[in-house]
Every structure is written in C-alpha cells, then in structure tokens.
Amino acid sequence: MPPEESIALVDGILAPWREKIGADWDGYRNHAQRVARFACALSVAAPDTQRKIAIAAAFHDLGIWSDGTFDYLPPSVARARDFLHAQGLDAWAPEIERMIAMHHRVRACGEPDDALVEALRRADLVDLSLGFVSFGLDRALVATVKDEFPNAGFHRCLAGLLAGWFREHPLSLPPFLRW
C-alpha cells in the first residue's frame, strides 16, 4: 500500500469523528498519521500489514474524544472492532484490538504473533517522545514525517489531559498504562 493510500485510509476512518474531536482534530489526525508512518517503517511493508497499521493508528487514542474518557483503550478497541465488522474484516479484529490495547505497554511485546503490536507500540513512543526515542528509525525519516504532519498542539493536549488526571487521581497511574 503506497503511503498516499495509508494516509487516505486514516483520514477516511477519522472523518466521521471530526466534529466530536473538535479543536483537537489537526493534532490527533496528524498524530495518527505519524504513528501509522512510523509503524509501517518499523514493520514488514506488506499491503495488508499497512492496512492493519493504518486502522489501528486511526483508532488507537480515539476513545479520548469518542467517549470523553481518559480510560480510552476499551472504547478505542470497541470503535475499531465495529469498524472492522462493518468492513467485513472480522478476522483482523483480534490483532488490531491487541495493537490498540497494548500500545502503551511499558515493556516490549515479545510474543511471536506480536510484531504489529510491537511496531505500533514503538511508533507511538517515537511520536510521544518527539523522535528522541527512535528505535533505529532514520532521523531524516522522522523529521520528514514530522514536517508532513505537524504536531498542531497534540502534545500540549496530552499534557493537559495528564495534568487533569493527576489532579483528580494524584496517587494513581493513568489507566492506559500496561506493564
């Protein structure tokens, strides 16, 4: 799948959520695009693999806005499952659900069937760290992707959400972290 098709797929998935995402639209859309591009670069470039990555990247944090919660992994997984069912891709659901559910895992996903889970986890961390953590990705690629899909306030949005979480739950880690 050429990068343009991956970009179009992520945008197509997110388009119905534009109003709900609201002012964070550019930030989240660009974050999802960066994560998709980084995950594709970290994995095998087969077309089905790239489609799975694009779908998982589009949905991976969507529950923040679709369901208005910082415990967003379960609703993100549910939204992805519904999408896959509507597309007749039920067979992909277990892997994509795991990609989303484990993308904030602290430790590497080392199971043999977890190559895409680990690619998405690493890609999200590349983006979250603004490219400081690169998992061997070429720095020029990271810079190019960041230029093509600018931050648009996404990290500021996350910082605000985290600050709100810790104000309300000062002794609890955010619910999306996995060990």
Side-chain angles (χ1 to χ4, degrees), residues 10-174:
V10 171
D11 283 350
I13 290 168
L14 291 178
W17 298 100
R18 188 176 190 136
E19 187 175 322
K20 189 82 167 170
I21 296 170
D24 297 324
W25 167 259
D26 288 333
Y28 182 63
R29 181 258 180 188
N30 290 354
H31 169 64
Q33 292 289 1
R34 290 188 304 269
V35 168
R37 294 287 289 276
F38 296 149
C40 285
L42 288 164
S43 64
V44 178
D48 279 354
T49 297
Q50 292 181 7
R51 281 184 70 207
K52 289 176 183 180
I53 287 170
I55 293 166
F59 285 103
H60 79 285
D61 293 337
L62 186 63
I64 293 170
W65 296 277
S66 67
D67 291 63
T69 180
F70 207 46
D71 188 7
Y72 58 86
L73 294 179
S76 296
V77 165
R79 302 291 181 179
R81 185 183 314 114
D82 292 346
F83 172 83
L84 291 165
H85 181 71
Q87 300 299 311
L89 297 171
D90 295 289
W92 288 7
E95 184 175 29
I96 291 173
E97 289 174 18
R98 187 157 166 75
M99 290 168 73
I100 294 168
M102 301 306 285
H103 83 272
H104 285 302
R105 184 178 162 135
V106 175
R107 293 175 289 141
C109 300
E111 298 298 319
D113 294 341
D114 280 348
L116 291 184
V117 175
E118 182 63 9
L120 191 76
R121 185 191 77 82
R122 288 181 177 198
D124 192 62
L125 188 53
V126 170
D127 195 58
L128 187 63
S129 72
L130 300 169
F132 291 109
V133 175
S134 67
F135 295 104
L137 286 179
D138 181 66
R139 298 283 181 188
L141 170 72
V142 173
T144 298
V145 171
K146 287 169 56 177
D147 286 345
E148 185 175 356
F149 301 104
N151 190 281
F154 183 72
H155 286 78
R156 185 174 48 249
C157 171
L158 290 183
L161 291 169
L162 275 171
W165 172 264
F166 284 116
R167 268 193 306 277
E168 292 182 31
H169 309 90
L171 301 176
S172 299
L173 291 174

